[in-house]
PDB file of all heavy atoms in Angstrom:
ATOM      1  N   ARG T  29     -18.009 -12.649  -4.675  1.00 98.00           N
ATOM      2  CA  ARG T  29     -18.410 -11.308  -5.110  1.00 98.00           C
ATOM      3  C   ARG T  29     -18.887 -10.515  -3.892  1.00 98.00           C
ATOM      4  O   ARG T  29     -19.596 -11.034  -3.037  1.00 98.00           O
ATOM      5  CB  ARG T  29     -19.539 -11.428  -6.136  1.00 98.00           C
ATOM      6  CG  ARG T  29     -20.005 -10.100  -6.725  1.00 98.00           C
ATOM      7  CD  ARG T  29     -21.116 -10.362  -7.729  1.00 98.00           C
ATOM      8  NE  ARG T  29     -20.616 -11.050  -8.896  1.00 98.00           N
ATOM      9  CZ  ARG T  29     -20.743 -10.606 -10.143  1.00 98.00           C
ATOM     10  NH1 ARG T  29     -21.346  -9.460 -10.363  1.00 98.00           N
ATOM     11  NH2 ARG T  29     -20.274 -11.297 -11.147  1.00 98.00           N
ATOM     12  N   TYR T  30     -18.476  -9.239  -3.815  1.00 98.00           N
ATOM     13  CA  TYR T  30     -18.904  -8.365  -2.724  1.00 98.00           C
ATOM     14  C   TYR T  30     -18.791  -6.921  -3.204  1.00 98.00           C
ATOM     15  O   TYR T  30     -18.411  -6.669  -4.360  1.00 98.00           O
ATOM     16  CB  TYR T  30     -18.081  -8.609  -1.452  1.00 98.00           C
ATOM     17  CG  TYR T  30     -16.586  -8.590  -1.656  1.00 98.00           C
ATOM     18  CD1 TYR T  30     -15.837  -7.440  -1.414  1.00 98.00           C
ATOM     19  CD2 TYR T  30     -15.911  -9.730  -2.089  1.00 98.00           C
ATOM     20  CE1 TYR T  30     -14.474  -7.413  -1.597  1.00 98.00           C
ATOM     21  CE2 TYR T  30     -14.543  -9.719  -2.278  1.00 98.00           C
ATOM     22  CZ  TYR T  30     -13.822  -8.570  -2.036  1.00 98.00           C
ATOM     23  OH  TYR T  30     -12.464  -8.555  -2.228  1.00 98.00           O
ATOM     24  N   ALA T  31     -19.106  -5.952  -2.332  1.00 98.00           N
ATOM     25  CA  ALA T  31     -19.215  -4.577  -2.831  1.00 98.00           C
ATOM     26  C   ALA T  31     -19.041  -3.542  -1.719  1.00 98.00           C
ATOM     27  O   ALA T  31     -19.049  -3.861  -0.528  1.00 98.00           O
ATOM     28  CB  ALA T  31     -20.580  -4.375  -3.496  1.00 98.00           C
ATOM     29  N   ASN T  32     -18.884  -2.293  -2.164  1.00 98.00           N
ATOM     30  CA  ASN T  32     -18.966  -1.083  -1.345  1.00 98.00           C
ATOM     31  C   ASN T  32     -18.059  -1.084  -0.110  1.00 98.00           C
ATOM     32  O   ASN T  32     -18.539  -0.984   1.034  1.00 98.00           O
ATOM     33  CB  ASN T  32     -20.417  -0.843  -0.913  1.00 98.00           C
ATOM     34  CG  ASN T  32     -21.347  -0.752  -2.109  1.00 98.00           C
ATOM     35  OD1 ASN T  32     -20.959  -0.259  -3.171  1.00 98.00           O
ATOM     36  ND2 ASN T  32     -22.573  -1.237  -1.955  1.00 98.00           N
ATOM     37  N   PRO T  33     -16.749  -1.152  -0.300  1.00 98.00           N
ATOM     38  CA  PRO T  33     -15.843  -1.095   0.856  1.00 98.00           C
ATOM     39  C   PRO T  33     -15.863   0.268   1.535  1.00 98.00           C
ATOM     40  O   PRO T  33     -15.978   1.309   0.880  1.00 98.00           O
ATOM     41  CB  PRO T  33     -14.472  -1.382   0.235  1.00 98.00           C
ATOM     42  CG  PRO T  33     -14.597  -0.990  -1.203  1.00 98.00           C
ATOM     43  CD  PRO T  33     -16.017  -1.294  -1.576  1.00 98.00           C
ATOM     44  N   THR T  34     -15.743   0.243   2.867  1.00 98.00           N
ATOM     45  CA  THR T  34     -15.675   1.472   3.662  1.00 98.00           C
ATOM     46  C   THR T  34     -14.623   1.291   4.757  1.00 98.00           C
ATOM     47  O   THR T  34     -14.355   0.164   5.194  1.00 98.00           O
ATOM     48  CB  THR T  34     -17.025   1.800   4.325  1.00 98.00           C
ATOM     49  OG1 THR T  34     -17.463   0.667   5.090  1.00 98.00           O
ATOM     50  CG2 THR T  34     -18.075   2.148   3.283  1.00 98.00           C
ATOM     51  N   TYR T  35     -14.041   2.401   5.190  1.00 98.00           N
ATOM     52  CA  TYR T  35     -13.080   2.352   6.286  1.00 98.00           C
ATOM     53  C   TYR T  35     -13.799   2.138   7.618  1.00 98.00           C
ATOM     54  O   TYR T  35     -14.913   2.634   7.830  1.00 98.00           O
ATOM     55  CB  TYR T  35     -12.280   3.652   6.360  1.00 98.00           C
ATOM     56  CG  TYR T  35     -11.307   3.840   5.223  1.00 98.00           C
ATOM     57  CD1 TYR T  35     -11.489   4.862   4.298  1.00 98.00           C
ATOM     58  CD2 TYR T  35     -10.197   3.010   5.087  1.00 98.00           C
ATOM     59  CE1 TYR T  35     -10.592   5.055   3.251  1.00 98.00           C
ATOM     60  CE2 TYR T  35      -9.305   3.181   4.038  1.00 98.00           C
ATOM     61  CZ  TYR T  35      -9.504   4.202   3.127  1.00 98.00           C
ATOM     62  OH  TYR T  35      -8.624   4.373   2.092  1.00 98.00           O
ATOM     63  N   ASP T  36     -13.132   1.408   8.510  1.00 98.00           N
ATOM     64  CA  ASP T  36     -13.650   1.171   9.849  1.00 98.00           C
ATOM     65  C   ASP T  36     -13.255   2.360  10.727  1.00 98.00           C
ATOM     66  O   ASP T  36     -12.070   2.554  11.038  1.00 98.00           O
ATOM     67  CB  ASP T  36     -13.058  -0.125  10.396  1.00 98.00           C
ATOM     68  CG  ASP T  36     -13.486  -0.429  11.824  1.00 98.00           C
ATOM     69  OD1 ASP T  36     -14.297   0.344  12.381  1.00 98.00           O
ATOM     70  OD2 ASP T  36     -12.992  -1.432  12.380  1.00 98.00           O
ATOM     71  N   SER T  37     -14.230   3.147  11.155  1.00 97.00           N
ATOM     72  CA  SER T  37     -13.946   4.350  11.941  1.00 97.00           C
ATOM     73  C   SER T  37     -13.403   4.030  13.332  1.00 97.00           C
ATOM     74  O   SER T  37     -12.874   4.919  14.010  1.00 97.00           O
ATOM     75  CB  SER T  37     -15.221   5.199  12.068  1.00 97.00           C
ATOM     76  OG  SER T  37     -16.230   4.470  12.753  1.00 97.00           O
ATOM     77  N   GLN T  38     -13.504   2.757  13.769  1.00 97.00           N
ATOM     78  CA  GLN T  38     -12.989   2.364  15.075  1.00 97.00           C
ATOM     79  C   GLN T  38     -11.529   1.921  15.000  1.00 97.00           C
ATOM     80  O   GLN T  38     -10.900   1.696  16.041  1.00 97.00           O
ATOM     81  CB  GLN T  38     -13.844   1.226  15.655  1.00 97.00           C
ATOM     82  CG  GLN T  38     -15.308   1.589  15.831  1.00 97.00           C
ATOM     83  CD  GLN T  38     -15.511   2.807  16.703  1.00 97.00           C
ATOM     84  OE1 GLN T  38     -14.985   2.874  17.806  1.00 97.00           O
ATOM     85  NE2 GLN T  38     -16.248   3.797  16.200  1.00 97.00           N
ATOM     86  N   ASN T  39     -11.006   1.780  13.782  1.00 98.00           N
ATOM     87  CA  ASN T  39      -9.614   1.381  13.603  1.00 98.00           C
ATOM     88  C   ASN T  39      -8.730   2.630  13.629  1.00 98.00           C
ATOM     89  O   ASN T  39      -8.943   3.567  12.853  1.00 98.00           O
ATOM     90  CB  ASN T  39      -9.456   0.630  12.281  1.00 98.00           C
ATOM     91  CG  ASN T  39      -8.043   0.109  12.056  1.00 98.00           C
ATOM     92  OD1 ASN T  39      -7.110   0.872  11.830  1.00 98.00           O
ATOM     93  ND2 ASN T  39      -7.900  -1.203  12.097  1.00 98.00           N
ATOM     94  N   GLU T  40      -7.733   2.643  14.509  1.00 97.00           N
ATOM     95  CA  GLU T  40      -6.917   3.832  14.726  1.00 97.00           C
ATOM     96  C   GLU T  40      -6.194   4.300  13.466  1.00 97.00           C
ATOM     97  O   GLU T  40      -6.014   5.496  13.248  1.00 97.00           O
ATOM     98  CB  GLU T  40      -5.897   3.578  15.839  1.00 97.00           C
ATOM     99  CG  GLU T  40      -6.503   3.507  17.223  1.00 97.00           C
ATOM    100  CD  GLU T  40      -7.199   4.812  17.621  1.00 97.00           C
ATOM    101  OE1 GLU T  40      -6.598   5.886  17.402  1.00 97.00           O
ATOM    102  OE2 GLU T  40      -8.326   4.745  18.138  1.00 97.00           O
ATOM    103  N   ILE T  41      -5.773   3.361  12.628  1.00 98.00           N
ATOM    104  CA  ILE T  41      -5.066   3.746  11.402  1.00 98.00           C
ATOM    105  C   ILE T  41      -6.060   4.064  10.293  1.00 98.00           C
ATOM    106  O   ILE T  41      -5.941   5.074   9.600  1.00 98.00           O
ATOM    107  CB  ILE T  41      -4.095   2.629  10.962  1.00 98.00           C
ATOM    108  CG1 ILE T  41      -3.064   2.376  12.068  1.00 98.00           C
ATOM    109  CG2 ILE T  41      -3.393   3.011   9.655  1.00 98.00           C
ATOM    110  CD1 ILE T  41      -2.146   1.205  11.800  1.00 98.00           C
ATOM    111  N   ALA T  42      -7.071   3.218  10.143  1.00 98.00           N
ATOM    112  CA  ALA T  42      -8.042   3.406   9.059  1.00 98.00           C
ATOM    113  C   ALA T  42      -8.763   4.738   9.152  1.00 98.00           C
ATOM    114  O   ALA T  42      -9.051   5.377   8.135  1.00 98.00           O
ATOM    115  CB  ALA T  42      -9.053   2.259   9.055  1.00 98.00           C
ATOM    116  N   LYS T  43      -9.045   5.193  10.369  1.00 97.00           N
ATOM    117  CA  LYS T  43      -9.825   6.421  10.509  1.00 97.00           C
ATOM    118  C   LYS T  43      -9.076   7.652   9.995  1.00 97.00           C
ATOM    119  O   LYS T  43      -9.691   8.688   9.719  1.00 97.00           O
ATOM    120  CB  LYS T  43     -10.278   6.608  11.948  1.00 97.00           C
ATOM    121  CG  LYS T  43      -9.182   6.950  12.934  1.00 97.00           C
ATOM    122  CD  LYS T  43      -9.787   7.098  14.334  1.00 97.00           C
ATOM    123  CE  LYS T  43      -8.748   7.514  15.364  1.00 97.00           C
ATOM    124  NZ  LYS T  43      -9.345   7.615  16.719  1.00 97.00           N
ATOM    125  N   MET T  44      -7.753   7.528   9.813  1.00 97.00           N
ATOM    126  CA  MET T  44      -6.980   8.644   9.259  1.00 97.00           C
ATOM    127  C   MET T  44      -7.344   8.915   7.796  1.00 97.00           C
ATOM    128  O   MET T  44      -7.103  10.004   7.284  1.00 97.00           O
ATOM    129  CB  MET T  44      -5.477   8.354   9.348  1.00 97.00           C
ATOM    130  CG  MET T  44      -4.936   8.223  10.754  1.00 97.00           C
ATOM    131  SD  MET T  44      -3.118   8.182  10.793  1.00 97.00           S
ATOM    132  CE  MET T  44      -2.754   6.842   9.659  1.00 97.00           C
ATOM    133  N   PHE T  45      -7.932   7.918   7.151  1.00 98.00           N
ATOM    134  CA  PHE T  45      -8.240   8.044   5.722  1.00 98.00           C
ATOM    135  C   PHE T  45      -9.710   8.408   5.474  1.00 98.00           C
ATOM    136  O   PHE T  45     -10.149   8.455   4.330  1.00 98.00           O
ATOM    137  CB  PHE T  45      -7.870   6.750   4.999  1.00 98.00           C
ATOM    138  CG  PHE T  45      -6.433   6.356   5.219  1.00 98.00           C
ATOM    139  CD1 PHE T  45      -6.108   5.277   6.031  1.00 98.00           C
ATOM    140  CD2 PHE T  45      -5.404   7.085   4.652  1.00 98.00           C
ATOM    141  CE1 PHE T  45      -4.785   4.920   6.269  1.00 98.00           C
ATOM    142  CE2 PHE T  45      -4.077   6.742   4.877  1.00 98.00           C
ATOM    143  CZ  PHE T  45      -3.764   5.661   5.692  1.00 98.00           C
ATOM    144  N   ILE T  46     -10.450   8.641   6.551  1.00 98.00           N
ATOM    145  CA  ILE T  46     -11.837   9.101   6.431  1.00 98.00           C
ATOM    146  C   ILE T  46     -11.823  10.617   6.335  1.00 98.00           C
ATOM    147  O   ILE T  46     -11.439  11.304   7.289  1.00 98.00           O
ATOM    148  CB  ILE T  46     -12.687   8.628   7.621  1.00 98.00           C
ATOM    149  CG1 ILE T  46     -12.694   7.091   7.694  1.00 98.00           C
ATOM    150  CG2 ILE T  46     -14.104   9.166   7.516  1.00 98.00           C
ATOM    151  CD1 ILE T  46     -13.415   6.531   8.913  1.00 98.00           C
ATOM    152  N   LEU T  47     -12.196  11.151   5.196  1.00 95.00           N
ATOM    153  CA  LEU T  47     -12.121  12.584   4.959  1.00 95.00           C
ATOM    154  C   LEU T  47     -13.507  13.216   4.960  1.00 95.00           C
ATOM    155  O   LEU T  47     -14.409  12.752   4.251  1.00 95.00           O
ATOM    156  CB  LEU T  47     -11.425  12.852   3.622  1.00 95.00           C
ATOM    157  CG  LEU T  47     -10.011  12.258   3.479  1.00 95.00           C
ATOM    158  CD1 LEU T  47      -9.463  12.528   2.083  1.00 95.00           C
ATOM    159  CD2 LEU T  47      -9.078  12.805   4.554  1.00 95.00           C
ATOM    160  N   LYS T  48     -13.680  14.237   5.777  1.00 96.00           N
ATOM    161  CA  LYS T  48     -14.940  14.975   5.879  1.00 96.00           C
ATOM    162  C   LYS T  48     -16.126  14.044   6.125  1.00 96.00           C
ATOM    163  O   LYS T  48     -17.210  14.211   5.561  1.00 96.00           O
ATOM    164  CB  LYS T  48     -15.171  15.798   4.609  1.00 96.00           C
ATOM    165  CG  LYS T  48     -14.126  16.879   4.394  1.00 96.00           C
ATOM    166  CD  LYS T  48     -14.396  17.685   3.135  1.00 96.00           C
ATOM    167  CE  LYS T  48     -13.341  18.768   2.950  1.00 96.00           C
ATOM    168  NZ  LYS T  48     -13.580  19.566   1.710  1.00 96.00           N
ATOM    169  N   GLY T  49     -15.893  13.022   6.934  1.00 96.00           N
ATOM    170  CA  GLY T  49     -16.952  12.094   7.306  1.00 96.00           C
ATOM    171  C   GLY T  49     -17.277  11.035   6.280  1.00 96.00           C
ATOM    172  O   GLY T  49     -18.157  10.202   6.499  1.00 96.00           O
ATOM    173  N   ASP T  50     -16.575  11.039   5.141  1.00 98.00           N
ATOM    174  CA  ASP T  50     -16.846  10.065   4.081  1.00 98.00           C
ATOM    175  C   ASP T  50     -15.895   8.879   4.234  1.00 98.00           C
ATOM    176  O   ASP T  50     -14.684   9.003   4.026  1.00 98.00           O
ATOM    177  CB  ASP T  50     -16.653  10.716   2.711  1.00 98.00           C
ATOM    178  CG  ASP T  50     -17.017   9.786   1.555  1.00 98.00           C
ATOM    179  OD1 ASP T  50     -17.486   8.651   1.825  1.00 98.00           O
ATOM    180  OD2 ASP T  50     -16.829  10.181   0.390  1.00 98.00           O
ATOM    181  N   SER T  51     -16.436   7.725   4.584  1.00 98.00           N
ATOM    182  CA  SER T  51     -15.615   6.527   4.816  1.00 98.00           C
ATOM    183  C   SER T  51     -15.491   5.634   3.574  1.00 98.00           C
ATOM    184  O   SER T  51     -14.894   4.561   3.645  1.00 98.00           O
ATOM    185  CB  SER T  51     -16.203   5.711   5.967  1.00 98.00           C
ATOM    186  OG  SER T  51     -17.512   5.266   5.637  1.00 98.00           O
ATOM    187  N   THR T  52     -16.032   6.065   2.441  1.00 98.00           N
ATOM    188  CA  THR T  52     -15.989   5.262   1.214  1.00 98.00           C
ATOM    189  C   THR T  52     -14.552   5.008   0.774  1.00 98.00           C
ATOM    190  O   THR T  52     -13.717   5.920   0.773  1.00 98.00           O
ATOM    191  CB  THR T  52     -16.738   5.974   0.072  1.00 98.00           C
ATOM    192  OG1 THR T  52     -18.080   6.232   0.493  1.00 98.00           O
ATOM    193  CG2 THR T  52     -16.750   5.128  -1.194  1.00 98.00           C
ATOM    194  N   VAL T  53     -14.269   3.763   0.388  1.00 98.00           N
ATOM    195  CA  VAL T  53     -12.957   3.416  -0.152  1.00 98.00           C
ATOM    196  C   VAL T  53     -13.104   3.300  -1.673  1.00 98.00           C
ATOM    197  O   VAL T  53     -13.752   2.392  -2.169  1.00 98.00           O
ATOM    198  CB  VAL T  53     -12.431   2.084   0.421  1.00 98.00           C
ATOM    199  CG1 VAL T  53     -11.044   1.776  -0.138  1.00 98.00           C
ATOM    200  CG2 VAL T  53     -12.397   2.137   1.948  1.00 98.00           C
ATOM    201  N   SER T  54     -12.501   4.232  -2.381  1.00 95.00           N
ATOM    202  CA  SER T  54     -12.671   4.267  -3.838  1.00 95.00           C
ATOM    203  C   SER T  54     -11.438   3.781  -4.594  1.00 95.00           C
ATOM    204  O   SER T  54     -11.449   3.703  -5.821  1.00 95.00           O
ATOM    205  CB  SER T  54     -12.997   5.689  -4.296  1.00 95.00           C
ATOM    206  OG  SER T  54     -11.965   6.577  -3.925  1.00 95.00           O
ATOM    207  N   GLY T  55     -10.367   3.453  -3.885  1.00 98.00           N
ATOM    208  CA  GLY T  55      -9.148   2.997  -4.548  1.00 98.00           C
ATOM    209  C   GLY T  55      -8.038   2.848  -3.535  1.00 98.00           C
ATOM    210  O   GLY T  55      -8.246   2.958  -2.322  1.00 98.00           O
ATOM    211  N   GLY T  56      -6.821   2.588  -4.043  1.00 98.00           N
ATOM    212  CA  GLY T  56      -5.678   2.413  -3.157  1.00 98.00           C
ATOM    213  C   GLY T  56      -4.567   1.676  -3.869  1.00 98.00           C
ATOM    214  O   GLY T  56      -4.523   1.616  -5.101  1.00 98.00           O
ATOM    215  N   TYR T  57      -3.686   1.074  -3.080  1.00 98.00           N
ATOM    216  CA  TYR T  57      -2.481   0.440  -3.623  1.00 98.00           C
ATOM    217  C   TYR T  57      -2.593  -1.088  -3.610  1.00 98.00           C
ATOM    218  O   TYR T  57      -3.101  -1.674  -2.658  1.00 98.00           O
ATOM    219  CB  TYR T  57      -1.252   0.886  -2.842  1.00 98.00           C
ATOM    220  CG  TYR T  57      -0.894   2.327  -3.134  1.00 98.00           C
ATOM    221  CD1 TYR T  57      -1.559   3.365  -2.485  1.00 98.00           C
ATOM    222  CD2 TYR T  57       0.064   2.647  -4.086  1.00 98.00           C
ATOM    223  CE1 TYR T  57      -1.262   4.693  -2.762  1.00 98.00           C
ATOM    224  CE2 TYR T  57       0.371   3.961  -4.374  1.00 98.00           C
ATOM    225  CZ  TYR T  57      -0.299   4.985  -3.712  1.00 98.00           C
ATOM    226  OH  TYR T  57      -0.013   6.293  -4.016  1.00 98.00           O
ATOM    227  N   VAL T  58      -2.081  -1.704  -4.673  1.00 98.00           N
ATOM    228  CA  VAL T  58      -1.985  -3.160  -4.778  1.00 98.00           C
ATOM    229  C   VAL T  58      -0.655  -3.597  -4.177  1.00 98.00           C
ATOM    230  O   VAL T  58       0.372  -2.925  -4.362  1.00 98.00           O
ATOM    231  CB  VAL T  58      -2.069  -3.609  -6.247  1.00 98.00           C
ATOM    232  CG1 VAL T  58      -1.605  -5.052  -6.411  1.00 98.00           C
ATOM    233  CG2 VAL T  58      -3.494  -3.460  -6.770  1.00 98.00           C
ATOM    234  N   SER T  59      -0.667  -4.717  -3.462  1.00 98.00           N
ATOM    235  CA  SER T  59       0.582  -5.233  -2.901  1.00 98.00           C
ATOM    236  C   SER T  59       0.488  -6.745  -2.720  1.00 98.00           C
ATOM    237  O   SER T  59      -0.593  -7.325  -2.774  1.00 98.00           O
ATOM    238  CB  SER T  59       0.896  -4.559  -1.557  1.00 98.00           C
ATOM    239  OG  SER T  59      -0.148  -4.790  -0.631  1.00 98.00           O
ATOM    240  N   PHE T  60       1.650  -7.366  -2.495  1.00 98.00           N
ATOM    241  CA  PHE T  60       1.730  -8.799  -2.223  1.00 98.00           C
ATOM    242  C   PHE T  60       2.347  -9.010  -0.851  1.00 98.00           C
ATOM    243  O   PHE T  60       3.210  -8.254  -0.414  1.00 98.00           O
ATOM    244  CB  PHE T  60       2.563  -9.507  -3.296  1.00 98.00           C
ATOM    245  CG  PHE T  60       1.973  -9.394  -4.670  1.00 98.00           C
ATOM    246  CD1 PHE T  60       2.534  -8.538  -5.614  1.00 98.00           C
ATOM    247  CD2 PHE T  60       0.849 -10.116  -5.026  1.00 98.00           C
ATOM    248  CE1 PHE T  60       1.986  -8.419  -6.879  1.00 98.00           C
ATOM    249  CE2 PHE T  60       0.284 -10.006  -6.291  1.00 98.00           C
ATOM    250  CZ  PHE T  60       0.860  -9.148  -7.214  1.00 98.00           C
ATOM    251  N   GLN T  61       1.913 -10.065  -0.185  1.00 97.00           N
ATOM    252  CA  GLN T  61       2.350 -10.339   1.181  1.00 97.00           C
ATOM    253  C   GLN T  61       3.608 -11.205   1.216  1.00 97.00           C
ATOM    254  O   GLN T  61       3.779 -12.109   0.404  1.00 97.00           O
ATOM    255  CB  GLN T  61       1.260 -11.082   1.941  1.00 97.00           C
ATOM    256  CG  GLN T  61      -0.024 -10.320   2.154  1.00 97.00           C
ATOM    257  CD  GLN T  61      -1.070 -11.179   2.845  1.00 97.00           C
ATOM    258  OE1 GLN T  61      -1.036 -12.404   2.791  1.00 97.00           O
ATOM    259  NE2 GLN T  61      -2.019 -10.538   3.497  1.00 97.00           N
ATOM    260  N   SER T  62       4.463 -10.920   2.190  1.00 97.00           N
ATOM    261  CA  SER T  62       5.463 -11.910   2.612  1.00 97.00           C
ATOM    262  C   SER T  62       5.021 -12.359   4.002  1.00 97.00           C
ATOM    263  O   SER T  62       5.262 -11.684   4.997  1.00 97.00           O
ATOM    264  CB  SER T  62       6.877 -11.323   2.623  1.00 97.00           C
ATOM    265  OG  SER T  62       7.004 -10.253   3.527  1.00 97.00           O
ATOM    266  N   ASN T  63       4.335 -13.479   4.051  1.00 95.00           N
ATOM    267  CA  ASN T  63       3.713 -13.958   5.286  1.00 95.00           C
ATOM    268  C   ASN T  63       4.548 -14.986   6.023  1.00 95.00           C
ATOM    269  O   ASN T  63       4.436 -15.105   7.232  1.00 95.00           O
ATOM    270  CB  ASN T  63       2.342 -14.573   5.002  1.00 95.00           C
ATOM    271  CG  ASN T  63       1.238 -13.543   5.055  1.00 95.00           C
ATOM    272  OD1 ASN T  63       1.493 -12.390   5.355  1.00 95.00           O
ATOM    273  ND2 ASN T  63       0.028 -13.961   4.760  1.00 95.00           N
ATOM    274  N   SER T  64       5.330 -15.782   5.304  1.00 97.00           N
ATOM    275  CA  SER T  64       6.198 -16.794   5.917  1.00 97.00           C
ATOM    276  C   SER T  64       6.424 -18.009   5.022  1.00 97.00           C
ATOM    277  O   SER T  64       7.282 -18.840   5.338  1.00 97.00           O
ATOM    278  CB  SER T  64       5.686 -17.279   7.277  1.00 97.00           C
ATOM    279  OG  SER T  64       4.382 -17.800   7.174  1.00 97.00           O
ATOM    280  N   HIS T  65       5.676 -18.150   3.928  1.00 98.00           N
ATOM    281  CA  HIS T  65       5.892 -19.304   3.050  1.00 98.00           C
ATOM    282  C   HIS T  65       6.394 -18.820   1.685  1.00 98.00           C
ATOM    283  O   HIS T  65       5.813 -17.900   1.100  1.00 98.00           O
ATOM    284  CB  HIS T  65       4.609 -20.120   2.868  1.00 98.00           C
ATOM    285  CG  HIS T  65       4.878 -21.508   2.368  1.00 98.00           C
ATOM    286  ND1 HIS T  65       4.794 -22.627   3.168  1.00 98.00           N
ATOM    287  CD2 HIS T  65       5.281 -21.953   1.153  1.00 98.00           C
ATOM    288  CE1 HIS T  65       5.112 -23.709   2.464  1.00 98.00           C
ATOM    289  NE2 HIS T  65       5.416 -23.315   1.231  1.00 98.00           N
ATOM    290  N   PRO T  66       7.462 -19.430   1.153  1.00 98.00           N
ATOM    291  CA  PRO T  66       7.996 -19.015  -0.150  1.00 98.00           C
ATOM    292  C   PRO T  66       6.936 -19.106  -1.249  1.00 98.00           C
ATOM    293  O   PRO T  66       6.146 -20.058  -1.307  1.00 98.00           O
ATOM    294  CB  PRO T  66       9.133 -20.011  -0.403  1.00 98.00           C
ATOM    295  CG  PRO T  66       9.541 -20.474   0.957  1.00 98.00           C
ATOM    296  CD  PRO T  66       8.272 -20.510   1.759  1.00 98.00           C
ATOM    297  N   ILE T  67       6.951 -18.112  -2.123  1.00 98.00           N
ATOM    298  CA  ILE T  67       5.983 -18.046  -3.219  1.00 98.00           C
ATOM    299  C   ILE T  67       6.648 -17.393  -4.426  1.00 98.00           C
ATOM    300  O   ILE T  67       7.535 -16.542  -4.273  1.00 98.00           O
ATOM    301  CB  ILE T  67       4.718 -17.268  -2.789  1.00 98.00           C
ATOM    302  CG1 ILE T  67       3.618 -17.352  -3.844  1.00 98.00           C
ATOM    303  CG2 ILE T  67       5.041 -15.818  -2.435  1.00 98.00           C
ATOM    304  CD1 ILE T  67       2.276 -16.788  -3.384  1.00 98.00           C
ATOM    305  N   ASP T  68       6.248 -17.823  -5.617  1.00 98.00           N
ATOM    306  CA  ASP T  68       6.751 -17.257  -6.875  1.00 98.00           C
ATOM    307  C   ASP T  68       5.601 -16.646  -7.659  1.00 98.00           C
ATOM    308  O   ASP T  68       4.468 -17.167  -7.635  1.00 98.00           O
ATOM    309  CB  ASP T  68       7.387 -18.341  -7.758  1.00 98.00           C
ATOM    310  CG  ASP T  68       8.686 -18.885  -7.200  1.00 98.00           C
ATOM    311  OD1 ASP T  68       9.405 -18.126  -6.527  1.00 98.00           O
ATOM    312  OD2 ASP T  68       8.980 -20.077  -7.449  1.00 98.00           O
ATOM    313  N   PHE T  69       5.904 -15.590  -8.394  1.00 98.00           N
ATOM    314  CA  PHE T  69       4.977 -15.001  -9.359  1.00 98.00           C
ATOM    315  C   PHE T  69       5.690 -14.959 -10.705  1.00 98.00           C
ATOM    316  O   PHE T  69       6.810 -14.444 -10.793  1.00 98.00           O
ATOM    317  CB  PHE T  69       4.576 -13.579  -8.949  1.00 98.00           C
ATOM    318  CG  PHE T  69       3.829 -13.499  -7.653  1.00 98.00           C
ATOM    319  CD1 PHE T  69       4.506 -13.392  -6.446  1.00 98.00           C
ATOM    320  CD2 PHE T  69       2.437 -13.540  -7.641  1.00 98.00           C
ATOM    321  CE1 PHE T  69       3.815 -13.320  -5.248  1.00 98.00           C
ATOM    322  CE2 PHE T  69       1.739 -13.471  -6.449  1.00 98.00           C
ATOM    323  CZ  PHE T  69       2.428 -13.358  -5.243  1.00 98.00           C
ATOM    324  N   ARG T  70       5.052 -15.486 -11.747  1.00 98.00           N
ATOM    325  CA  ARG T  70       5.690 -15.432 -13.060  1.00 98.00           C
ATOM    326  C   ARG T  70       5.007 -14.455 -14.016  1.00 98.00           C
ATOM    327  O   ARG T  70       5.567 -14.091 -15.038  1.00 98.00           O
ATOM    328  CB  ARG T  70       5.724 -16.818 -13.701  1.00 98.00           C
ATOM    329  CG  ARG T  70       4.379 -17.396 -14.106  1.00 98.00           C
ATOM    330  CD  ARG T  70       4.556 -18.747 -14.760  1.00 98.00           C
ATOM    331  NE  ARG T  70       3.273 -19.359 -15.107  1.00 98.00           N
ATOM    332  CZ  ARG T  70       3.150 -20.596 -15.600  1.00 98.00           C
ATOM    333  NH1 ARG T  70       4.240 -21.343 -15.782  1.00 98.00           N
ATOM    334  NH2 ARG T  70       1.966 -21.092 -15.895  1.00 98.00           N
TER     335      ARG T  70
END
């Protein structure tokens, strides 16, 4: 369990999503990784 995600202002890509100084992360997109090992979802 954890809480209160925020964007890292030192990350070159993440800082693009900080609007008007507010780094709060309130939502986003769900995705699955293709990392290198075969996996199934049913």
Side-chain angles (χ1 to χ4, degrees):
R29 183 180 292 236
Y30 51 96
N32 303 326
T34 54
Y35 290 114
D36 177 3
S37 62
Q38 301 303 308
N39 183 290
E40 288 299 314
I41 300 174
K43 70 180 183 182
M44 296 190 306
F45 305 108
I46 300 175
L47 303 177
K48 296 181 180 180
D50 184 3
S51 62
T52 303
V53 182
S54 59
Y57 288 82
V58 165
S59 59
F60 298 105
Q61 296 177 336
S62 62
N63 271 357
S64 57
H65 199 105
I67 188 171
D68 291 329
F69 297 87
R70 68 178 177 185

